[in-house]
């Protein structure tokens, strides 16, 4: 079976080599002269069998003074993160040091391409004196690659006169045609035929015949974690799809990534099969990693009960794997936090932050620190919250990518909550909007909904009912499919439709109600919610009266029947 061998590095260096001008080809002097004179064209599209050779002749033409940044494309470059890493590498080959900050932001993945990475590349390429031609050799090899083409349009929109994008495609594609229509003053050229050549990427990445199925599976097992860490999820999925089922089953190290792929695609039957069968022959650490992935998926969907059940089964973590130990601590902290147990969550977040410090996991450290700041802010510990936020600022200064990742949503929410609780509602709008935007880059359902609920509250306080209603509607749409509202039960009650059972209880009563099934005493519930035991007793009496219950057990049963739990 033909399976592509993953590249050893992020981008093979030969992909950035400008092909030499070769003797014996049709010179096409008139076309080359036209290209040399095309300094004002933002886009050049050359199609035909000789498109690559024509652009190479342009690069070596006597009257050509601009540097060329060359990127030979392969089908795997349809992954948008991989594609833009290749673009940065090509521009860096022409301009040493180019794109360092944009490359750091690539750790965030595809969600950061449009708001941050592509604008940074465009801004740096527009520096006077660059005058660069960026050649994308083989755009037709990427297939549809919708996100690649959409972000290329952003580059063309943002570009200055210093940058020309040149596309070589053996066959015209809908994408190259659409880009030609999108860019003003684009040049399109039908290049004369040229004998086929072996691409640089092929020579580097596939120097031998394709490996057998077992070797291909082993290569993917060796490299999938590094590819995911670079944000190249579509590449990993393509590798898995190319493997034969028998080869994938025979390679136990692939079990966690196969489970991740099935969870991402929503293939419930495959998830159940993988969980039931487990990895063989050594199920311990690999099975534990699979359970953590399964718990993370449940948390992301808002199913806190399923998250807790899966975490309860986690045993035998690999002592050498700091990443998975940190992940386990974070998942336990997040499950406790969203259930409305801030004291328990605080302990787990402290443990996660310590593990992240030890193992140098900057994103996990920022994640835990943001939640610690949020817990401090809501516990009236302003000084503690501010210290945590200052630490986050230091992390962002050390690595700007940290502040653009979805994990930064908790810190932004903490900043907004500090201002909201201090009565500075107008000032709270910007950080809460930032929290909503960051959570939208991959946060859980709860993380995406809470900033919207808080925004609705501050807009109402600022007498902006229209903006408040819009935020309420977005939050309600998210929470409509949430299996367990947890700590959001109170705020969500404010946006429930009239006549809903949630209208019966106040937000504080709903918060207490959520903890009644846990078995905590009234004093322990008060400690979790920072309420006195007398206040909890009052809330419990009101709950029993409003939902016509005579005991705690009856209240829980009626609440579940009415959709309150």
């Amino acid at each position: 079976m033909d399976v592509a061998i993953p590249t050893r590095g992020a981008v093979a260096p030969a992909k950035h080599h400008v092909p030499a001008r070769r003797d014996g080809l049709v010179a096409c002097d008139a076309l080359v002269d036209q290209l040399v004179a095309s300094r004002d064209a933002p886009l050049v599209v050359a199609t035909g069998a000789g498109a690559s050779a024509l652009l190479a002749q342009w690069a070596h033409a006597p009257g050509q003074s601009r540097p060329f940044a060359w990127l030979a494309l392969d089908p795997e470059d349809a992954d948008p993160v991989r594609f833009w890493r290749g673009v940065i590498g090509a521009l860096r080959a022409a301009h040493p040091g180019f794109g360092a900050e944009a490359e750091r932001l690539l750790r965030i993945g595809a969600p950061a391409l449009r708001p941050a990475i592509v604008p940074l590349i465009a801004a740096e390429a527009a520096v006077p004196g660059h005058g660069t031609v960026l050649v994308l050799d083989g755009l037709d090899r990427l297939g549809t690659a919708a996100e690649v083409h959409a972000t290329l349009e952003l580059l063309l929109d943002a570009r200055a006169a210093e940058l020309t994008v040149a596309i070589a495609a053996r066959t015209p594609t809908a994408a190259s045609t659409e880009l030609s229509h999108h860019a003003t003053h684009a040049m399109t050229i039908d290049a004369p035929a040229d004998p086929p050549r072996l691409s640089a990427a092929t020579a580097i990445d596939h120097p031998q015949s394709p490996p057998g199925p077992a070797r291909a599976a082993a290569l993917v097992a060796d490299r999938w974690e590094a590819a995911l860490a670079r944000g190249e999820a579509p590449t990993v999925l393509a590798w898995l799809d190319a493997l034969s089922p028998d080869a994938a089953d025979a390679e136990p190290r692939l079990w966690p990534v196969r489970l991740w792929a099935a969870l991402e695609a929503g293939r419930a039957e495959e998830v159940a099969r993988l969980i039931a069968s487990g990895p063989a022959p050594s199920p311990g650490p690999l099975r534990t990693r699979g359970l953590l992935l399964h718990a993370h998926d449940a948390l992301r969907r808002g199913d806190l009960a399923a998250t807790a059940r899966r975490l309860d089964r986690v045993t035998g973590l690999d002592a050498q794997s700091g990443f998975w130990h940190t992940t386990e601590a974070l998942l336990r902290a997040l499950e406790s936090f969203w259930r409305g147990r801030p004291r328990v969550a605080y302990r787990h977040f402290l443990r996660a932050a310590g593990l992240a410090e030890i193992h140098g996991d900057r994103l996990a450290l920022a994640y835990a620190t943001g939640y610690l700041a949020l817990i401090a802010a809501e516990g009236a510990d302003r000084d503690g919250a501010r210290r945590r936020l200052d630490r986050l600022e230091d992390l962002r200064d050390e690595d700007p990518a940290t502040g653009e990742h979805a994990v930064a949503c908790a810190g932004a929410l903490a900043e907004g909550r500090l201002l909201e609780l201090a009565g500075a509602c107008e000032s709270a709008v910007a950080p809460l909007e930032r929290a909503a935007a960051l959570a939208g880059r991959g946060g859980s359902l709860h993380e995406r909904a809470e900033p919207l609920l808080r925004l609705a509250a501050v807009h109402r306080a600022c007498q902006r009912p229209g903006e408040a209603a819009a935020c309420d509607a977005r939050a309600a749409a998210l929470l409509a499919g949430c299996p367990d509202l947890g700590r959001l039960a109170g705020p969500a009650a404010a946006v429930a439709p009239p006549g809903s059972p949630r209208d019966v209880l106040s937000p504080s009563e709903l918060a207490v109600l959520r903890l009644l099934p846990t078995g905590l005493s009234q004093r322990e519930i008060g400690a979790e919610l920072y309420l006195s035991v007398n206040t909890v007793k009052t809330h419990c009496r009101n709950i029993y009266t409003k939902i016509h219950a005579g005991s705690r057990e009856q209240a829980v049963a009626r609440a579940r029947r009415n959709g309150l739990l």
Side-chain angles (χ1 to χ4, degrees), residues 401-441:
T402 304
E404 296 296 328
H405 198 281
V407 299
C409 67
L413 181 58
E415 187 175 351
R417 289 290 280 151
L418 263 181
L419 293 166
E420 178 192 358
L421 293 168
C425 290
E426 194 65 62
S427 299
V429 171
L432 290 174
E433 288 180 339
R434 176 75 173 153
L438 290 167
R441 296 176 183 176

Side-chain angles (χ1 to χ4, degrees), residues 373-534:
L374 180 56
I375 292 171
E378 295 187 339
D381 181 7
R382 293 183 57 82
D383 291 340
R386 182 49 57 192
R387 284 196 302 272
R388 303 288 185 185
L389 291 175
D390 288 344
R391 176 62 175 133
L392 281 178
E393 191 65 33
D394 291 341
L395 292 173
R396 286 193 291 266
D397 289 343
E398 293 166 12
D399 183 358
T402 304
E404 296 296 328
H405 198 281
V407 299
C409 67
L413 181 58
E415 187 175 351
R417 289 290 280 151
L418 263 181
L419 293 166
E420 178 192 358
L421 293 168
C425 290
E426 194 65 62
S427 299
V429 171
L432 290 174
E433 288 180 339
R434 176 75 173 153
L438 290 167
R441 296 176 183 176
S444 69
L445 195 153
H446 290 94
E447 287 172 332
R448 285 179 283 147
E450 173 135 11
L452 296 172
L453 292 169
R454 300 318 324 160
L455 270 172
V458 298
H459 280 311
R460 276 191 291 270
C462 295
Q463 305 301 311
R464 289 190 292 265
E467 288 87 341
C471 292
D472 278 341
R474 290 169 60 194
L478 285 170
L479 296 175
C482 182
D484 192 342
L485 293 177
R487 75 178 237 126
L488 299 186
V495 299
S500 164
R502 302 186 191 283
D503 290 341
V504 175
L505 302 180
S506 72
S508 297
E509 290 163 354
L510 279 166
V512 171
L513 176 63
R514 298 299 299 179
L515 294 180
L516 291 184
T518 63
L520 295 175
S521 68
Q522 291 183 336
R523 188 173 298 278
E524 289 169 335
I525 290 174
E528 289 290 337
L529 300 176
Y530 298 96
L531 300 174
S532 71
V533 66
N534 288 332

Side-chain angles (χ1 to χ4, degrees), residues 115-161:
I117 295 168
V118 176
L120 273 174
I121 293 171
E124 193 166 350
V127 173
H130 275 196
T132 310
V133 178
L134 170 63
V135 177
L136 304 176
D137 183 6
L139 188 69
D140 51 323
R141 297 188 187 111
L142 305 189
T144 53
E147 185 63 12
V148 167
H149 302 139
T151 46
L152 266 177
E153 288 185 3
L154 287 179
L155 181 68
L156 291 170
D157 287 339
R159 113 233 219 250

Side-chain angles (χ1 to χ4, degrees), residues 57-125:
Q57 285 181 268
W58 175 21
H60 296 289
Q64 168 58 37
S65 60
R66 289 188 285 176
F68 269 61
W70 197 283
L71 177 59
L73 296 167
D74 295 308
E76 286 181 354
D77 293 313
D79 182 324
V81 172
R82 185 182 177 92
F83 173 84
W84 284 103
R85 183 173 283 109
V87 168
I88 292 170
L91 290 165
R92 184 174 295 160
H95 303 284
F98 183 94
E101 185 173 356
E103 188 172 49
R104 284 196 296 269
L105 291 175
L106 278 171
R107 299 178 206 170
I108 299 167
L113 286 172
R114 299 189 190 213
I117 295 168
V118 176
L120 273 174
I121 293 171
E124 193 166 350

Side-chain angles (χ1 to χ4, degrees), residues 282-320:
S282 56
L286 288 179
R287 179 182 287 278
T288 297
R289 294 176 186 183
L291 286 169
L292 290 175
L293 287 170
H294 209 192
H296 177 265
D297 177 70
L299 182 72
R300 187 173 57 179
R301 293 183 287 101
D303 193 340
L304 301 178
T307 304
R309 287 196 303 272
R310 289 159 191 175
L311 287 174
D312 286 343
R313 295 169 58 194
V314 170
T315 57
L317 272 173
D318 182 358
Q320 303 302 315

